[in-house]
Amino acid sequence: MTIAPAPRPDPYASLNAEQRAAVEHGRGEATPGPLLVIAGAGTGKTMTLASRVARLVQDGADPNRILMLTFSRRAAHEMERRVGRVLHAALGFGATQQAPSLPWAGTFHSVGARLLREYAPSVGLSPQFTIHDRGDAEDLMGMVRQEQGFAATEKRFPLKGTCLTVYSRVVNACLPVEQVVREQHPWCLGWEEELKRLFRAYVDEKQQQQVLDYDDLLLYWHRMMEEPAIAQAVGARFDHVLVDEYQDTNRLQAGILLGLKPDGRGLTVVGDDAQSIYAFRAAEVRNILDFPALFTPPARVITLTRNYRSTQPILDASNAVIGLAAERHAKELWTDQAGERPQLITVEDEMRQAAWVADAVLAQREAGLRLTRQAVLFRAGHHSAALELELTRRNIPFVKFGGLKFLEAAHVKDLLSVLRWVQNPRSRLAGFRVAQLIPGIGPASARRLLDAMEAADDPRQAMRAFRPPAQAAPDWQAWMQAHDALCSSGWPGDVEIATRWYQPQLERLHDDAVVRLADLQQLARIASGYAGRERFLAELTLDPPQATSDESGAPHLDEDYLILSTMHSAKGQEWTAVYVLNVVDGCIPSDMATGRTEDVEEERRLLYVAMTRAKRHLSLVVPQRFYVTQQGKGGDRHLYGSLTRFIPGSIVRLFNRPAMQVAREATPAPQLPAIDLMARVRRSF
DNA sequence: CGGAATAAGCTTTTT
DNA sequence: GCTTATTCCG
């Protein structure tokens, strides 16, 4: 049977004038000048960027020479999918033909890792380097902090996590230690010299061990681009460089881009200053505000304001919230879609909040809206705890984005450390962790072993020569056998060997070994999808599994499930119905972030991002009383919350406020959960 | 020296 | 609630 060629619809037909201008910018020129697209929430940003890439390829650009940088891995996947789709249509391919893919699409960090590995020999870096995630970096900082004697100072020295936060900001914002401490961590004033000494030791340690942390991936890339010859060579590999979510880039990233394309030709950046929510990670809004003036002639600026996602009442409320922001690129989103007003729901406490959301979700589902089209958003990972319990109780499947991580569980880190130590015997961190898993070996013996390995030319030989304490001898023997097997085995059998060695330690150390073993089997499944041990270790750090589901087991992909997500992880996503939890001062803005006005402004944008995720239904929930488990002194206590300062009286009128909460408070009768019995009966078949 | 038990903080968001 | 530093015992 032959398939008749489908009539080819113009893939660009649905673009509006501004989008089309962005897509066609510089067409016909060999190297288009720099372009900045200011794309408000829901204005078809991804579509526009994908169409521009497709247009370029269709006009003859080589996909291998297009660098597409995105902020998150999730966005990178999405972009690749969309580009593929537009290209597929544009080139008139049949159903079975593959559109060309973009080999250089990824996050700054992953592209950086790839380039660094490639150029490692010419910049004095070991191509074998391993990558530390945040947890590893913190552990290493902790080790150095201990070794330098800062753990036992008279006055309390900043904790390892704080040290790493300061260090990370120093690197990403390109600022001196003094300024970061003064502006971000004033309670650490007085420790500047010690911190600098600590950071020097930390850097030495990383180089000694041949590891890079997240910040290094950008820092080394940036430093590499400061060498004109290398910058020239790297820049010449790419005809077009496109950057998504430009408002979330930091100074290092901006510097990298400028190194790649000093005159801006071939450079396109897209973003929305109103959605800048990563200043805590040293993102620099000025990057996008100042972009046009970096070049002569200045970059062209195109602004997209027509919203295709939400209804006008949702936009009115969102515009009003962001309208009170101190400084921004003025733009008002508009649409021609009518709809209901967003809701402002007041409930008594977090329990009622969870019950209300569960009810609302089920009601929407009964009305025909699949769970995957609904999402619950919140400021911090733990804000969803009560809701998760309620959902589990009611058997509503859900998947949670953001918050706790599979890779951070102790047993998963143990197993990964085994693989990493074998891969890179100079990794002191992995070694320290693994060695102490062996019964009879503690910090002192581990240190002796690692010192010997560090001093040796061949660290593996030093390990074999190591004489452990007598009582540890049999277990050490078992480790060496596993180690040697791992050195000579193939992939993905490695994971099995490592697990077999680790299992007795797991059972000895943890009461819930069975549950944890299941996680390791999960890890083995993930591992089998990678080409080899090195790739697995490198990519797992940069592209960890993003969603974790509750312990009752991950829902199958074909099942319907509700989305729970932090507001940060919700960026770039959209759902038909969105519920925002804890819209209360103290949660949003978080009381961690009410110190400086910039911080409060970022929280405002965060609420704006959350609200603009909604297509048709938006509900903000305000519990009047919520539990805090902070500030240890008096233990847990209730706080009486008031509606967030971002929705003052003048804005409240843009919402519907059902009076139901009054009835709830006034009713002395015990609260019965509202259930849809009919629906339950139907569902049981 | 190793390891368990006890005491004492801290608690956002992500690559 | 969960990690980190100290203490004490084998």
Side-chain angles (χ1 to χ4, degrees):
Chain A
M1 168 179 143
T2 54
I3 302 164
R8 195 195 308 179
D10 177 7
Y12 310 108
S14 61
L15 299 173
N16 67 33
E18 290 77 28
Q19 292 173 330
R20 183 176 301 273
V23 168
E24 308 209 326
H25 166 76
R27 235 187 133 188
E29 297 169 46
T31 49
L35 171 67
L36 166 63
V37 180
I38 301 277
T43 55
K45 179 192 63 171
T46 307
M47 179 55 163
T48 304
L49 204 48
S51 299
R52 177 163 174 79
V53 172
R55 179 82 261 174
L56 289 169
V57 173
Q58 206 181 347
D59 288 347
D62 178 356
N64 295 299
R65 298 176 54 81
I66 294 179
L67 177 59
M68 172 89 231
L69 294 165
T70 49
F71 182 71
S72 66
R73 196 71 186 187
R74 203 172 177 183
H77 289 315
E78 175 69 11
M79 187 60 70
E80 227 173 339
R81 205 176 58 82
R82 298 279 280 273
V83 171
R85 220 162 53 187
V86 182
L87 260 182
H88 200 271
L91 301 177
F93 283 179
T96 53
Q97 281 171 293
Q98 276 283 296
S101 65
L102 294 177
W104 286 98
T107 61
F108 270 94
H109 290 84
S110 66
V111 170
R114 208 169 136 191
L115 285 172
L116 283 171
R117 238 181 255 288
E118 194 175 317
Y119 287 90
S122 44
V123 296
L125 192 68
S126 162
Q128 295 295 312
F129 68 82
T130 48
I131 299 168
H132 275 181
D133 66 15
R134 166 82 205 205
D136 299 329
E138 224 171 79
D139 289 347
L140 185 62
M141 185 66 86
M143 263 176 69
V144 177
R145 180 175 173 271
Q146 192 111 46
E147 276 167 13
Q148 297 282 312
F150 293 130
T153 48
E154 187 114 341
K155 276 179 60 197
R156 287 208 21 256
F157 192 76
L159 289 174
K160 64 180 182 185
T162 311
C163 296
L164 190 70
T165 305
V166 174
Y167 171 81
S168 184
R169 194 170 189 90
V170 166
V171 172
N172 283 291
C174 310
L175 293 173
V177 173
E178 286 81 1
Q179 190 178 345
V180 171
V181 169
R182 193 168 355 103
E183 288 175 3
Q184 304 284 328
H185 304 273
W187 58 92
C188 300
L189 277 169
W191 290 116
E192 293 92 328
E193 287 312 310
E194 288 82 356
L195 283 171
K196 279 197 260 184
R197 236 169 64 216
L198 175 68
F199 296 163
R200 273 194 292 273
Y202 175 64
V203 170
D204 285 346
E205 196 60 44
K206 283 189 294 185
Q207 295 191 341
Q208 175 72 37
Q209 298 184 29
Q210 302 172 355
V211 298
L212 300 187
D213 60 22
Y214 283 142
D215 301 329
D216 289 333
L217 295 175
L218 300 182
L219 180 68
Y220 282 61
W221 187 6
H222 183 269
R223 293 289 182 272
M224 188 165 91
M225 301 302 287
E226 283 176 344
E227 176 58 42
I230 300 182
Q232 229 283 319
V234 179
R237 297 173 66 148
F238 305 109
D239 298 321
H240 300 279
V241 179
L242 301 98
V243 189
D244 194 13
E245 307 281 15
Y246 192 64
Q247 76 281 355
D248 288 324
T249 54
N250 60 37
R251 287 172 75 166
L252 272 182
Q253 290 163 321
I256 289 168
L257 284 181
L258 216 51
L260 280 169
K261 295 288 164 200
D263 59 2
R265 302 207 74 83
L267 189 55
T268 299
V269 304
V270 183
D272 178 10
D273 54 306
Q275 293 185 70
S276 156
I277 54 174
Y278 282 97
F280 73 90
R281 220 179 84 179
E284 183 59 73
V285 199
R286 293 243 72 88
N287 280 352
I288 193 166
L289 297 174
D290 298 344
F291 181 82
L294 284 178
F295 310 102
T296 40
R300 179 167 174 202
V301 182
I302 296 175
T303 307
L304 309 181
T305 55
R306 173 158 186 182
N307 178 294
Y308 293 92
R309 179 185 295 152
S310 310
T311 60
Q312 192 61 47
I314 290 175
L315 288 186
D316 288 340
S318 308
N319 282 333
V321 165
I322 201 66
L324 296 176
E327 183 199 14
R328 77 193 176 101
H329 233 89
K331 66 179 167 307
E332 196 92 330
L333 299 178
W334 65 278
T335 181
D336 51 17
Q337 296 180 64
E340 67 195 37
R341 282 184 184 188
Q343 287 186 291
L344 202 52
I345 306 293
T346 308
V347 293
E348 236 180 281
D349 53 29
E350 283 185 284
M351 303 264 289
R352 305 280 160 76
Q353 172 173 255
W356 187 88
V357 170
D359 286 347
V361 165
L362 288 183
Q364 285 290 0
R365 202 182 93 130
E366 292 313 316
L369 191 61
R370 290 171 57 84
L371 295 178
T372 46
R373 320 238 56 152
Q374 307 189 51
V376 184
L377 307 183
F378 33 84
R379 174 68 179 84
H382 64 263
H383 285 163
S384 64
L387 179 64
E388 288 175 47
L389 284 176
E390 182 69 13
L391 294 173
T392 306
R393 199 174 65 74
R394 297 205 199 180
N395 268 325
I396 303 174
F398 63 90
V399 171
K400 183 174 172 183
F401 289 86
L404 77 145
K405 310 251 164 32
F406 179 63
L407 294 182
E408 275 161 28
H411 52 292
V412 176
K413 284 172 82 172
D414 284 344
L415 198 81
L416 288 175
S417 293
V418 171
L419 297 176
R420 197 178 283 164
W421 200 24
V422 173
Q423 178 71 29
N424 177 2
R426 296 222 179 265
S427 171
R428 219 179 149 86
L429 192 66
F432 205 60
R433 187 172 188 111
V434 175
Q436 289 185 89
L437 287 171
I438 299 164
I441 293 188
S445 302
R447 178 154 297 154
R448 189 161 61 83
L449 165 67
L450 293 169
D451 285 345
M453 288 175 67
E454 191 173 312
D457 288 333
D458 180 355
R460 289 203 175 86
Q461 202 47 50
M463 190 196 294
R464 291 192 187 94
F466 179 69
R467 292 287 151 254
Q471 56 188 14
D475 289 297
W476 175 257
Q477 195 70 35
W479 159 251
M480 283 313 302
Q481 272 176 17
H483 173 265
D484 291 341
L486 283 168
C487 285
S488 55
S489 88
W491 189 257
D494 283 4
V495 183
E496 203 182 310
I497 297 171
T499 308
R500 215 176 306 131
W501 171 77
Y502 179 58
Q503 193 171 343
Q505 333 300 335
L506 182 73
E507 283 161 1
R508 180 169 49 84
L509 295 167
H510 300 284
D511 296 331
D512 54 350
V514 184
V515 184
R516 290 168 188 259
L517 199 60
D519 281 345
L520 299 182
Q521 278 151 8
Q522 170 77 11
L523 190 69
R525 268 195 298 280
I526 296 174
S528 64
Y530 287 84
R533 185 169 67 204
E534 188 187 346
R535 293 290 296 272
F536 174 65
L537 290 172
E539 287 173 32
L540 198 65
T541 313
L542 291 171
D543 188 16
Q546 318 172 41
T548 50
S549 49
D550 65 335
E551 299 77 35
S552 61
H556 295 294
L557 282 177
D558 51 15
E559 272 177 25
D560 200 18
Y561 50 85
L562 179 67
I563 310 288
L564 309 193
S565 173
T566 59
M567 294 178 184
H568 284 89
S569 296
K571 178 126 180 210
Q573 309 271 112
E574 61 177 30
W575 296 276
T576 305
V578 168
Y579 312 86
V580 185
L581 301 185
N582 295 333
V583 186
V584 165
D585 247 59
C587 286
I588 178 106
S590 159
D591 48 14
M592 311 288 298
T594 47
R596 298 160 328 134
T597 52
E598 307 98 272
D599 295 342
V600 176
E601 287 303 308
E602 177 147 312
E603 300 279 311
R604 186 198 308 279
R605 294 191 293 267
L606 196 50
L607 179 62
Y608 173 74
V609 166
M611 290 173 68
T612 51
R613 298 310 96 197
K615 292 162 86 168
R616 306 210 64 82
H617 309 284
L618 172 63
S619 306
L620 310 189
V621 193
V622 184
Q624 292 191 305
R625 196 158 46 104
F626 61 92
Y627 223 44
V628 276
T629 52
Q630 299 173 338
Q631 284 112 28
K633 284 286 171 290
D636 300 351
R637 62 202 164 112
H638 286 295
L639 273 193
Y640 289 86
S642 55
L643 178 60
T644 174
R645 67 186 75 175
F646 302 138
I647 306 186
S650 56
I651 295 184
V652 166
R653 63 187 168 74
L654 297 171
F655 292 83
N656 277 340
R657 303 192 77 174
M660 133 219 150
Q661 76 281 2
V662 180
R664 285 211 161 179
E665 274 167 13
T667 311
Q671 286 294 320
L672 293 176
I675 59 164
D676 185 343
L677 200 55
M678 313 301 275
R680 285 192 182 187
V681 170
R682 280 200 302 280
R683 273 203 308 281
S684 56
F685 294 102

